[in-house]
Amino acid sequence: GAHLDIARSVCRTAERFHWEYLETAGNLSEKALLLAARYLNRVSDFLFIARCFVNMRSGIQEKQFTP
């Protein structure tokens, strides 16, 4: 679970850098670059769900978020 958390963190960092590049380069109309940004977001979501699944199967209790 911890390894998946680290992978998700790296993926989110890559996503932020990618969006920053898109905004500074003015390439927001480039369809392929937008698809890449969306893909990074979906990979990050998958890694989060995978971590939850691995922790559940390992018997590790997830901390509940309270706003």
Side-chain angles (χ1 to χ4, degrees):
H3 289 354
L4 288 166
D5 236 0
I6 292 169
R8 180 174 179 252
S9 176
V10 170
C11 185
R12 294 292 286 183
T13 300
E15 181 186 3
R16 282 192 298 276
F17 279 120
H18 186 74
W19 278 110
E20 184 178 320
Y21 167 74
L22 286 176
E23 290 172 359
T24 58
N27 290 331
L28 287 175
S29 63
E30 295 281 339
K31 190 171 187 175
L33 293 175
L34 287 173
L35 287 174
R38 290 182 187 142
Y39 177 77
L40 286 170
N41 185 265
R42 294 298 117 208
V43 170
S44 173
D45 290 346
F46 169 76
L47 291 170
F48 174 75
I49 297 300
R51 185 213 59 194
C52 293
F53 178 76
V54 166
N55 284 345
M56 180 187 71
R57 293 290 298 255
S58 300
I60 298 171
Q61 183 70 31
E62 294 277 335
K63 292 183 180 180
Q64 296 296 318
F65 175 75
T66 53

